[in-house]
Amino acid sequence: MTYHPKSDFIATMIERGFLADCTDYQGLDDALIDGCKPAYIGFDATAKSLHVGSLIQIMMLRWFQKTGHKPITLMGGGTTKVGDPSFRSDERPLLGPEQIDANIAGIKKVFSAYIDYDTDAENAALMLNNEEWLDGLNYLDFLRDIGRHFSVNRMLAFESVKSRLDREQSLSFLEFNYMILQAYDFLELNRRYGCVLQMGGSDQWGNIVNGIDLTRRVLDHEIYGLTTPLLTTSDGKKMGKSQDGAVWLNAEMRSPYEFWQFWRNTTDADVGRFLKLYTELPVDECDRMGALAGSEINEAKIRLANEVTTLLHGAAAAATAEATAREVFEKGGVGGDLPTLTLSVDELGEGMSIVQIIVKSGLAKSGKEAKRLISENGAKLDDAPLTDAGLMIDAGALSSPIKLSAGKKRHALVQLG
């Protein structure tokens, strides 16, 4: 990237590694030095929480506001009813209105930790929902006024669609409409709020370009698109996934300790990059810590975990998570903030197998996986090797909490409730 920006936002994005591509660096840069400008990112409501894979977008909106501009978080109450086909091999399951509303309620909880919606300043953030303008569309009017601006030939050429068709996988007419609806979002946000920029992951490039083209055709306004790289870890894993599933941002779906632990387990090669993307530490400090080796890199990983957890869950949650981790890993203790499974006397009955308990605690996804964990000497009970897959646990055994471990890094408490 050889472009030398004048605006604080573009400079920050380049310096910290956020940028994959932009439709017009010079034009966007000039627009951003000409006062406060609105920009948006859309979030479809496919689950009750976003996961770590969305955190790069949230941090981008945070930096946009910190550099003096107005972020818009757009909830996809309307587009979720269709489903984004971008780079998917199959159609998303369709969700009903009640589930979509419940998912939006869950997703909204996270944003206020990163973005200020309550300030009286010019750059106070907006939280909007695209069902506001999509739900009331008249189909024939929409086809005539908006559909005529789209070339099917061009839409088929976008890589996100082309890759699906090249594999001879079905693309429904419903899904094909998604990119038109997302383009219409940009048009409406520009018309209603003067929004000049849409941001998103690089998988959204085709959708973003469509929105820019539509807005220019209908309103003759100059607007821009900017994308982030689709992040993978240095070992090739998709960002936001872990050994035990998605790393959710909502505390009720992923405890602050488990969230902290995810970042603490970052591979050495990713530390510097993740510090720049997911914290606000100075870039020089991120580079310095990322270059550490041996035991020193572990302290950098703790700093990463603390900084990221503090932004989402607060400083107290980060401090408690670190204290628990040190108790568990360095002192061999139990650690009161570990994920906890509480079993009743009725549930236990005359005894519950340790395999069932491992699954219930979330340390394994199935009984088969739990048995394999035990047979391969990967399971521990109170820090001692667990070798008997037939072990039964009754209420007496839980007179005090027990600690289960899967490998060196995943732990859970089991207690009687």
Side-chain angles (χ1 to χ4, degrees):
M1 181 69 201
T2 57
Y3 180 74
H4 299 289
K6 299 182 287 293
S7 67
D8 290 342
F9 177 69
I10 298 293
T12 300
M13 292 298 96
I14 293 173
E15 186 178 38
R16 302 190 78 94
F18 280 87
L19 280 193
D21 212 342
C22 180
T23 54
D24 179 358
Y25 284 107
Q26 183 70 59
L28 176 59
D29 201 26
D30 289 342
L32 293 179
I33 61 174
D34 187 28
C36 174
K37 294 292 188 294
Y40 90 99
I41 299 178
F43 299 88
D44 277 347
T46 54
K48 290 185 178 179
S49 171
L50 299 174
H51 59 65
V52 163
S54 297
L55 196 51
I56 187 172
Q57 317 299 339
I58 297 172
M59 288 299 295
M60 183 180 279
L61 288 171
R62 180 176 172 88
W63 281 113
F64 195 69
Q65 188 170 44
K66 285 174 69 72
T67 53
H69 300 287
K70 188 180 190 72
I72 298 173
T73 46
L74 182 65
M75 298 291 100
T79 43
T80 305
K81 296 171 184 174
V82 174
D84 185 0
S86 298
F87 294 101
R88 286 183 62 86
S89 60
D90 55 4
E91 188 170 348
R92 291 181 186 273
L94 293 179
L95 303 178
E98 290 184 2
Q99 184 62 63
I100 292 172
D101 288 345
N103 288 351
I104 287 174
I107 289 170
K108 282 182 175 180
K109 295 176 185 178
V110 165
F111 287 105
S112 58
Y114 294 90
I115 302 163
D116 189 353
Y117 296 89
D118 300 323
T119 179
D120 292 329
E122 182 185 8
N123 68 331
L126 291 175
M127 175 79 72
L128 303 173
N129 188 330
N130 62 15
E131 69 175 5
E132 179 183 340
W133 49 82
L134 294 181
D135 276 13
L137 287 176
N138 178 288
Y139 187 60
L140 290 178
D141 288 343
F142 186 72
L143 284 179
R144 185 192 62 208
D145 297 337
I146 302 300
R148 65 189 178 89
H149 295 294
F150 288 84
S151 162
V152 171
N153 309 63
R154 186 164 180 246
M155 293 164 73
L156 289 172
F158 283 118
E159 188 59 33
S160 59
V161 173
K162 187 174 180 292
S163 60
R164 178 106 155 244
L165 298 178
D166 286 347
R167 295 191 299 268
E168 297 184 355
Q169 291 164 327
S170 175
L171 179 71
S172 72
F173 180 69
L174 178 69
E175 293 175 288
F176 197 57
N177 276 269
Y178 183 92
M179 63 179 74
I180 300 177
L181 295 178
Q182 185 170 326
Y184 187 70
D185 282 344
F186 204 172
L187 170 66
E188 281 296 318
L189 288 170
N190 180 259
R191 180 155 42 201
R192 295 174 182 223
Y193 301 98
C195 182
V196 299
L197 172 65
Q198 181 183 176
M199 302 183 288
S202 57
D203 60 334
Q204 295 299 310
W205 180 256
N207 293 332
I208 291 172
V209 169
N210 271 329
I212 292 170
D213 186 57
L214 176 65
T215 304
R216 286 174 178 170
R217 288 171 181 269
V218 175
L219 300 179
D220 195 27
H221 289 176
E222 193 68 26
I223 58 176
Y224 309 93
L226 184 153
T227 59
T228 61
L230 286 182
L231 282 183
T232 57
T233 57
S234 59
D235 53 4
K237 294 178 181 175
K238 188 175 181 180
M239 193 62 187
K241 301 290 185 181
S242 71
Q243 187 174 354
D244 53 343
V247 183
W248 302 108
L249 300 183
N250 287 27
E252 63 270 21
M253 294 176 69
R254 186 88 176 191
S255 73
Y257 171 78
E258 292 172 298
F259 183 79
W260 186 96
Q261 195 64 46
F262 170 79
W263 296 99
R264 169 61 182 83
N265 291 339
T266 296
T267 57
D268 294 2
D270 289 325
V271 171
R273 182 166 61 119
F274 286 1
L275 281 165
K276 284 188 278 192
L277 289 171
Y278 299 112
T279 81
E280 294 176 339
L281 294 175
V283 170
D284 289 348
E285 178 70 358
C286 297
D287 287 335
R288 183 192 70 79
M289 286 193 286
L292 296 173
S295 60
E296 289 184 320
I297 194 70
N298 289 328
E299 289 306 311
K301 292 177 184 180
I302 290 171
R303 182 75 183 278
L304 170 66
N306 282 337
E307 293 288 335
V308 180
T309 304
T310 295
L311 280 173
L312 178 59
H313 295 298
T320 300
E322 182 184 355
T324 295
R326 292 192 185 278
E327 175 70 19
V328 170
F329 297 115
E330 296 178 9
K331 303 176 185 176
V334 170
D337 196 39
L338 285 178
T340 301
L341 170 66
T342 302
L343 298 171
S344 68
V345 173
D346 288 342
E347 281 181 288
L348 287 165
E350 295 182 2
M352 181 181 291
S353 76
I354 194 67
V355 167
Q356 284 180 279
I357 291 175
I358 289 173
V359 174
K360 281 180 173 288
S361 70
L363 295 179
K365 294 179 180 178
S366 65
K368 183 179 180 180
E369 183 181 321
K371 289 176 182 177
R372 185 173 65 249
L373 187 70
I374 294 169
S375 68
E376 295 175 354
N377 301 314
K380 289 186 177 181
L381 174 60
D382 287 334
D383 297 318
L386 176 60
T387 57
D388 182 8
L391 178 67
M392 301 297 290
I393 301 293
D394 58 20
L398 293 180
S399 56
S400 60
I402 63 173
K403 183 173 94 174
L404 289 175
S405 304
K408 295 180 179 179
K409 297 179 178 178
R410 298 168 58 230
H411 309 272
L413 291 182
V414 184
Q415 66 184 13
L416 194 63

